[in-house]
Amino acid sequence: ESDGIVTCDRPRPELPVRRCESIGNAMDLVNMDRDVHPVHFPQNIKTVTPATIMKGPEDYTDGLQETVYLRAHYFGNPEPRVAWYKGGRRLNHVDRIKIRTYPGESTLVIRDLRADDSGKYEIQIENEVGNDSCSASLCVEGPPEPPGGRPYITTIDRD
């Protein structure tokens, strides 16, 4: 199976080795060689690089009702596809959660933090020649939630 990338060596004419007596003489020889052997590059060469995260999101601790920005910087050609996950589940835009992605940068924005926003967040990027991922932990601090339901007593001891 081929990945579609083909490399080949182009035959090169044998260039004579010349001795230079000075820098000026060397520059004259280089300039002379340019006139004799101009180099032409094809216009349709496409450079491909695997998707790579240069700087991943950082661990973050904040309070209830705050806003957090988890940012990652990446590169790759063709431009990588980006996805964010929390606890293994892919995140989508909802009222409080936004994903802003521009070439080379993606930011996960979570507004009005709640206790259940705490957890591990992961960014995954991929293109045709590679993939990469990175994660960060978010800890939301605040007063504990009140107990749910109505309290009841099961037994009473003298102690």
Side-chain angles (χ1 to χ4, degrees), residues 1-150:
E1 185 175 328
S2 172
D3 58 6
I5 300 174
V6 178
T7 61
C8 60
D9 290 328
R10 190 172 65 177
R12 296 183 179 174
E14 285 297 320
L15 297 176
V17 177
R18 298 185 179 131
R19 182 181 171 109
C20 300
E21 300 299 328
S22 68
I23 293 176
N25 179 242
M27 293 306 295
D28 291 341
L29 290 173
V30 168
N31 291 331
M32 183 178 74
D33 280 346
R34 277 195 208 144
D35 296 337
V36 174
H37 303 287
V39 177
H40 299 285
F41 292 101
Q43 296 300 313
N44 59 353
I45 291 179
K46 180 179 178 184
T47 304
V48 292
T49 55
T52 305
I53 295 175
M54 296 182 302
K55 184 174 188 302
E58 296 181 5
D59 293 343
Y60 210 91
T61 300
D62 213 338
L64 295 170
Q65 304 299 314
E66 297 295 328
T67 299
V68 67
Y69 299 86
L70 298 176
R71 180 172 290 122
H73 296 274
Y74 60 89
F75 69 90
N77 189 20
E79 181 69 22
R81 295 172 294 282
V82 177
W84 285 88
Y85 295 83
K86 179 190 178 210
R89 297 185 69 215
R90 187 171 178 155
L91 297 173
N92 295 309
H93 290 275
V94 293
D95 292 338
R96 298 181 318 103
I97 298 175
K98 303 288 184 214
I99 299 171
R100 298 178 184 158
T101 300
Y102 306 100
E105 179 180 312
S106 184
T107 304
L108 175 66
V109 182
I110 307 171
R111 299 184 191 287
D112 301 322
L113 286 176
R114 303 185 308 215
D116 63 344
D117 289 326
S118 292
K120 179 181 172 182
Y121 289 82
E122 181 178 26
I123 180 173
Q124 294 181 2
I125 64 170
E126 70 173 338
N127 65 8
E128 287 74 7
V129 291
N131 59 58
D132 200 1
S133 64
C134 194
S135 62
S137 294
L138 173 62
C139 179
V140 180
E141 296 179 335
E145 299 280 327
R150 185 174 171 166

